[in-house]
């Protein structure tokens, strides 16, 4: 096989990816991958970023794909390089993020024979890859090039189609791996289709919502005694106490506003995780996590209809409440086939697009809906907000206060990436409702890993116009500290708000925290790292914030700075547990006063 054959094929492949809409590729270094990497890098419509560590590269691609909504390509060499993509590929599978994972491999005649850097890469990511194909080499005949063009399109559309996710193509590449003469401009077979069309187009399905689904949902929302008249089959059912639960829905940035509009129109309490983008508008309930910790409130506010959109929120009280609603009818929109129902409580999974369907349902709602049910939730939410604000209103910085500050201060148009562990929980619990919707919030909640957090945030920064802020714990930062290299190597700007409690603070909430020294060493894992040194190593700014005023000022400086900066807040794990309990007690007390 000549290098010309290899490069002609891969140039056609890259051209076809670009025709489909691919704009980003994340490469990692190596020899076997040379033709693959250079072909992507030399395609002018694709921006290629370089990543030394494949694990970082994988998560960077994940962040890019989440923030842009488009598939992103990854390309690396053979061996453990490819294995280092596994965590990001698994997260992409679980969170339904489209990735094209292109791995270079030894050809079959060099496998399992002691050749260098050769491992078994066949179906390396198991079921985490939604499609796998072994791509061997052939002379660059017109038939072969048409097949490679079709293959690129199929990989791209497969990553996006139905339940989005990663596609893995494993390319067997033979030496020579570099060209010894310029590549001919002409392509055997004439190149791609006319007018820049992809070889194979597969437009996404945006079908009209099914009328029978709209009828059924409209009927289920009809509360006849409460003066909502629903055209159609209003006799079917009446659910005066409905709630709409909105969870992580990163792929459609307009969905949050659509849900908020629908909930307001239908006077339905909207329990909106900030990851849904729907914590806005008059029906949004921000503090459901704190409210539902109060058993009396949870029982008194049991709905008889639950409509869910997006992933299940993280909140344990919300999950337990939904699980225990024995007599409620629970429906969930599941257009991507995520099948999220760990409690086996969902009676109907609606495959239709939620925004379009709810817009059609809203059109059937006639007359004024009784607002008593929504008002009861809103009064409770205001009481909770007041109790939380009073509890957090002190100059010192607690972890809840840091989350609340970001929720109140980050501008609309900014993006907040939140790490797993307490950051994602604190954002869910303490973010306020905002008329402007607040920042876009992204998080790796597919597999809930703390790995790749920094790289994911840099990937989001590479795809985003507005400022990008990462809220992370110290263990998550230590885990992906190498991700900071993107600041200088790629010239990317990120503001990192580090909550440093010297270990995994989440575990102090669990019974295992009573296990003394073994707990400290093997579960909490304090490390004593001073991240100022990491900032210096990777060319980032670093500032400690000691109190609320200091955090506000440091955040402003970091957002205005040219380069990536870390704003570090030092907290104490024990005090953090106490601060959270204090908040929950204050909310319960506030509810009591509210009821009295
Ligand atoms: C890759 C991975 N390893 C281990 C875990 C288990 N885990 C969950 S939270 C956590 C500690 C996180 O600590 P930190 O980032 O400091 O946040 P904090 O708990 O203090 O909020 C660990 C190790 C995980 N989720 N993902």
């Amino acid at each position: 096989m000549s290098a010309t054959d290899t490069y002609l094929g891969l140039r056609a492949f890259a051209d076809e990816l670009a025709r489909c809409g691919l704009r980003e590729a994340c490469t990692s270094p190596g020899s076997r991958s040379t033709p693959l990497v250079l072909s992507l890098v030399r395609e002018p419509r694709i921006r290629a970023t370089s990543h030394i560590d494949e694990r970082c590269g994988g998560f960077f691609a994940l962040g890019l794909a989440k923030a842009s909504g488009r598939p992103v390509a990854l390309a690396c060499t053979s061996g453990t390089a490819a294995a280092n993509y596994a965590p990001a590929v698994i997260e992409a599978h679980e969170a339904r993020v489209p990735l094209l994972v292109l791995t270079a491999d030894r050809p079959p005649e060099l496998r399992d024979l002691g050749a260098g850097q050769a491992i078994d890469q066949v179906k390396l990511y198991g079921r985490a890859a939604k499609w796998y194909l072994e791509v061997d080499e052939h002379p660059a005949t017109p038939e072969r090039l048409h097949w490679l063009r079709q293959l690129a399109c199929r990989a791209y559309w497969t990553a996006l189609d139905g339940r989005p996710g990663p596609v893995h193509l494993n390319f067997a590449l033979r030496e020579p791996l570099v060209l010894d003469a310029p590549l001919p401009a002409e392509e055997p077979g004439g190149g791609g289709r006319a007018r820049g069309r992809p070889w194979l187009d597969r437009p996404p399905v945006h079908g009209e919502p099914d009328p029978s689904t709209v009828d059924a949902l409209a009927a289920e929302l009809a509360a006849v005694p409460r003066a909502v008249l629903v055209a159609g089959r209003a006799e079917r059912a009446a659910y005066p106490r409905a709630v709409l639960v909105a969870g992580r829905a990163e792929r459609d940035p307009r969905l949050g506003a659509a849900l908020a509009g629908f909930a307001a129109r239908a006077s339905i309490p909207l329990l909106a995780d900030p990851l849904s983008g729907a914590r806005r508008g008059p029906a949004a309930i921000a503090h459901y996590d704190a409210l539902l910790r109060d058993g009396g409130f949870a029982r008194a506010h049991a709905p008889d209809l639950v409509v869910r959109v997006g992933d299940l929120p993280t909140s344990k009280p919300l999950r337990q409440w939904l699980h225990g609603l024995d007599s409620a009818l629970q429906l969930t929109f599941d257009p991507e086939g995520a099948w999220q129902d760990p409690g086996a409580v969902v009676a109907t999974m609606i495959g239709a697009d939620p925004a379009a369907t709810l817009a059609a349902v809203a059109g059937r709602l006639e007359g004024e809906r009784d607002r008593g049910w929504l008002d009861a939730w809103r009064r409770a939410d205001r009481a909770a907000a007041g109790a939380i604000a009073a509890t957090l209103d002190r100059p010192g910085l607690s972890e809840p206060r840091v989350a609340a500050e970001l929720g109140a201060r980050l501008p609309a148009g900014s993006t907040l990436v939140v790490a797993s562990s307490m950051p994602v929980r604190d954002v869910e619990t303490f973010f306020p409702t905002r008329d402007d919707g607040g920042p876009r919030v992204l998080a790796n909640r597919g597999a809930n890993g703390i790995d790749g957090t920094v790289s994911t945030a840099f990937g989001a920064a590479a795809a985003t116009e507005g400022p990008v802020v990462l809220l992370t714990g110290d263990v998550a930062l230590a885990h992906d500290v190498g991700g900071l290299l993107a600041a200088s190597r790629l010239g990317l700007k990120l503001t990192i708000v580090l909550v440093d409690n010297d270990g995994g603070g989440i575990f102090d909430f669990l019974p295992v925290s009573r296990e003394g020294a073994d707990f400290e060493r093997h579960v909490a894992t304090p490390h004593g790292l001073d991240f100022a040194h990491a900032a210096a190593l990777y060319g980032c700014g670093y500032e400690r914030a000691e109190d609320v005023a200091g955090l506000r000022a440091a955040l402003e400086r970091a957002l205005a700075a040219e380069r990536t900066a870390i704003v570090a807040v030092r907290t104490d794990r024990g005090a953090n547990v106490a601060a959270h309990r204090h908040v929950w007690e204050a909310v319960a007390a506030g509810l009591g006063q509210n009821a009295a």
Side-chain angles (χ1 to χ4, degrees), residues 6 9-14 17 32-37 39-40 73-78 82 100-108 111 121-122 131-138 144 147-148 151-152 155 167-174 177:
T6 304
L10 289 172
R11 185 179 68 185
F13 180 84
L17 289 179
R32 187 64 47 173
S33 51
T34 304
L36 194 54
V37 167
S39 301
L40 290 166
L74 280 160
C76 75
T77 196
S78 61
L100 302 177
V101 186
L102 313 175
T103 52
D105 199 352
R106 263 47 183 174
R111 294 184 190 169
Q121 293 180 205
V122 173
W131 187 50
Y132 168 84
L133 200 75
E134 190 66 17
V135 188
D136 203 351
E137 289 190 301
H138 288 276
R144 167 72 180 177
W147 177 75
L148 278 168
L151 172 69
V167 163
H168 177 201
L169 303 183
N170 192 43
F171 288 82
L173 293 166
R174 293 182 180 82
L177 298 165

Side-chain angles (χ1 to χ4, degrees), residues 55 59 87 399 419-426 445 447-453 472-479 498-509 523-525 527 571 573 576:
R55 193 171 67 164
F59 278 105
E399 296 187 20
S420 285
S421 204
M422 289 313 287
V424 75
R425 290 174 171 80
D426 283 345
R445 296 307 287 165
N448 302 352
I450 56 156
D451 45 350
T453 307
T472 182
D474 47 281
V475 177
L477 178 56
H479 206 294
L498 164 66
V499 176
D500 185 357
N501 53 27
D502 197 19
I506 195 168
F507 299 123
D508 281 75
F509 289 84
V523 183
T525 60
H527 43 74
T571 59
R573 285 186 272 121
N576 186 42

Side-chain angles (χ1 to χ4, degrees), residues 11 21 45 53 82 117 125 195 207 269 298 359 422 534:
R11 185 179 68 185
R45 287 159 292 178
D53 178 336
Q117 217 172 305
Y125 311 112
R195 294 188 297 280
M422 289 313 287

Side-chain angles (χ1 to χ4, degrees), residues 85-120:
Y85 282 157
V89 171
I90 290 167
E91 173 63 23
H93 166 69
E94 297 293 339
R96 308 186 300 283
V97 180
L99 292 180
L100 302 177
V101 186
L102 313 175
T103 52
D105 199 352
R106 263 47 183 174
E109 65 271 18
L110 288 179
R111 294 184 190 169
D112 206 12
L113 288 167
Q117 217 172 305
I119 65 166
D120 184 359

